Amino acid sequence: EKGGFEHFMLKEIHEQPKAYRDTMRGRIDESGKKVVLPELKLTADQIKNIRNIQIIACGTAYHAGLVGRSAIESLVRIPVETDVASEYRYRSPIVTPETLVIVVSQSGETADTLAAMREAKANGAHVLAITNVVGSSIARDADDVIVTLAGPEIAVASTKAYTSQLIAFYLLALYLAEVRGTQTPEAVAQIVAAMQALPEQVESMLAKPDAIKAYAEHISKHEHLFFIGRGLDYAVAQEGSLKLKEISYIHSEAYAAGELKHGTLALIEEGIPVIALATQEAVLEKTVSNIKEVNARGADIMAITHEENVAGLLKSVDQAFAIPKTLPLLTPALSVVPLQLLSYYASLARGNDVDKPRNLAKSVTVE
Ligand code: F6R
């Protein structure tokens, strides 16, 4: 049942190339240049009238929502808010019939997400669910559903469901951009082509786990560490940090790299591991100055970046791991993979129950 893998989590990490392909299949037209989402009931007129979007989810699905927000805001220029489902109701969210609410849930059964969705619906929003389970409560209650085709996810720590959610968000953002005319057909075609290259790029990383495995064994001896990044790197840092805490029980915090000096830098001392995500070229220089801040305090830094930045970064980091190159917006679909492997191998090195971490359930059906 684990297909030759020691754990479901590792099997599911390796199923990601397939999950990306399956989630894209039938949603890119024959020309290979355009996104089609035939399952949507949302009409072109409704799409043109959307005034604001709210993305609601919990945990890892919320982290996918952070990337979704960037994708929609940058490609479609509609304002997007992202909320943790258990908090959504308490801030009197502003919902009108021109609000599109997107709920994201692998299981489709998360109580907080379901409750937030019902509240949004009662206030007149059109609700679109991104879920991995067709017959789930969330899928049944939503006005529209985009199914991620990740296949069943057994390990408590979500991996292929998260990355399939990213793919679903990219497809949705492109589709909205086509309908609202906010991107040229050439720009859309370029992103679609880059998306189609992602599965092979993931495969290339999965074929070489040794460097990440060795680094995981190193951090497994620590009790605290930090992830830093800016922009989309920060969104991925949050997911990497959650995954690591969840299965390795190492305490970690994800920090927006620019926020460190506003307090957290006080915690950086000799030898503390810092994982710096430095894949977003537009903010690279600024991230590098934050890397230098922690380096000067003796942190033990590992950078996740692109090949061409490795030599330069090695002046201020202890090691660097290069990921394949794609468009900046799509990079989370690649940069999260080494972080998934990192938590897996750190959990393994600590002798934990990787697939069933303590105190956690796969589906959280209480608020
Ligand atoms: C972490 C993890 C959780 C879930 C969260 C939401 O690895 O799996 O954070 O993402 O409980 O679950 P769903 O997506 O089923 O609503």
Side-chain angles (χ1 to χ4, degrees):
E1 48 170 9
K2 290 181 197 146
F5 290 97
E6 205 181 329
H7 296 97
F8 282 111
M9 184 182 179
L10 191 60
K11 172 174 178 266
E12 289 162 5
I13 288 173
H14 279 262
E15 282 169 346
Q16 291 179 112
K18 180 177 183 325
Y20 288 27
R21 289 189 183 103
D22 289 350
T23 300
M24 282 188 269
R25 183 165 304 124
R27 291 169 172 156
I28 292 170
D29 80 350
E30 315 83 72
S31 73
K33 292 182 173 163
K34 233 180 123 218
V35 171
V36 287
L37 290 174
E39 63 266 60
L40 288 194
K41 291 188 208 115
L42 206 59
T43 64
D45 276 344
Q46 280 175 305
I47 290 174
K48 286 180 190 147
N49 287 331
I50 296 171
R51 304 259 305 261
N52 67 321
I53 295 180
Q54 295 171 344
I55 299 174
I56 310 173
C58 301
T60 285
Y62 168 76
H63 295 150
L66 297 176
V67 177
R69 177 176 72 192
S70 282
I72 295 169
E73 288 196 329
S74 65
L75 298 177
V76 201
R77 311 302 296 157
I78 297 174
V80 184
E81 298 159 286
T82 310
D83 277 280
V84 164
S86 57
E87 288 291 320
Y88 175 74
R89 280 171 290 169
Y90 313 135
R91 67 173 182 93
S92 337
I94 298 166
V95 174
T96 71
E98 285 83 42
T99 304
L100 175 66
V101 166
I102 303 174
V103 291
V104 192
S105 174
Q106 185 283 128
S107 63
E109 300 298 344
T110 301
D112 285 316
T113 310
L114 195 56
M117 159 177 169
R118 288 184 175 146
E119 164 112 358
K121 258 189 102 167
N123 287 327
H126 185 97
V127 177
L128 185 158
I130 296 178
T131 180
N132 200 38
V133 181
V134 179
S136 60
S137 309
I138 287 177
R140 271 186 277 119
D141 277 19
D143 300 302
D144 262 314
V145 182
I146 296 181
V147 179
T148 48
L149 290 146
E153 194 179 62
I154 310 291
V156 166
S158 180
T159 54
K160 62 176 182 171
Y162 168 81
T163 45
S164 309
Q165 287 158 0
L166 299 187
I167 299 295
F169 268 119
Y170 294 138
L171 291 168
L172 177 64
L174 286 168
Y175 181 69
L176 297 178
E178 285 165 13
V179 174
R180 289 175 66 120
T182 51
Q183 297 294 318
T184 63
E186 294 73 30
V188 172
Q190 191 205 5
I191 300 170
V192 170
M195 284 179 71
Q196 288 174 310
L198 291 172
E200 262 181 54
Q201 293 179 307
V202 172
E203 274 154 14
S204 76
M205 285 187 285
L206 294 177
K208 290 176 284 179
D210 292 353
I212 290 292
K213 191 173 173 196
Y215 184 70
E217 281 158 12
H218 168 64
I219 63 161
S220 72
K221 299 177 190 95
H222 286 261
E223 288 306 326
H224 302 279
L225 61 83
F226 288 91
F227 286 84
I228 61 171
R230 283 176 182 257
L232 285 168
D233 282 335
Y234 176 43
V236 175
Q238 291 175 71
E239 171 56 11
S241 176
L242 171 62
K243 211 97 303 172
L244 186 73
K245 281 181 282 223
E246 183 177 14
I247 57 169
S248 78
Y249 317 148
I250 299 170
H251 169 231
S252 74
E253 274 191 62
Y255 244 78
E259 266 293 291
L260 277 179
K261 54 185 166 301
H262 299 288
T264 310
L265 207 49
L267 288 169
I268 303 295
E269 48 183 19
E270 196 64 37
I272 191 158
V274 172
I275 298 167
L277 282 107
T279 73
Q280 297 293 310
E281 310 297 337
V283 291
L284 187 64
E285 229 175 280
K286 294 211 166 109
T287 303
V288 169
S289 41
N290 305 128
I291 286 174
K292 288 181 176 156
E293 287 165 2
V294 291
N295 180 47
R297 275 95 190 159
D300 171 14
I301 312 169
M302 189 318 245
I304 295 193
T305 189
H306 294 120
E307 198 58 58
E308 69 254 35
N309 305 323
V310 169
L313 276 167
L314 281 174
K315 292 183 195 122
S316 3
V317 305
D318 298 274
Q319 41 191 316
F321 181 83
I323 60 162
K325 192 118 195 208
T326 182
L327 299 173
L329 183 61
L330 304 182
T331 302
L334 299 179
S335 57
V336 75
V337 176
L339 301 186
Q340 295 169 339
L341 289 170
L342 184 68
S343 14
Y344 174 76
Y345 287 116
S347 175
L348 202 62
R350 290 183 141 217
N352 295 351
D353 188 345
V354 176
D355 284 337
K356 287 205 184 69
R358 66 187 182 206
N359 310 341
L360 296 170
K362 182 66 185 162
S363 178
V364 185
T365 50
V366 288
E367 277 185 47

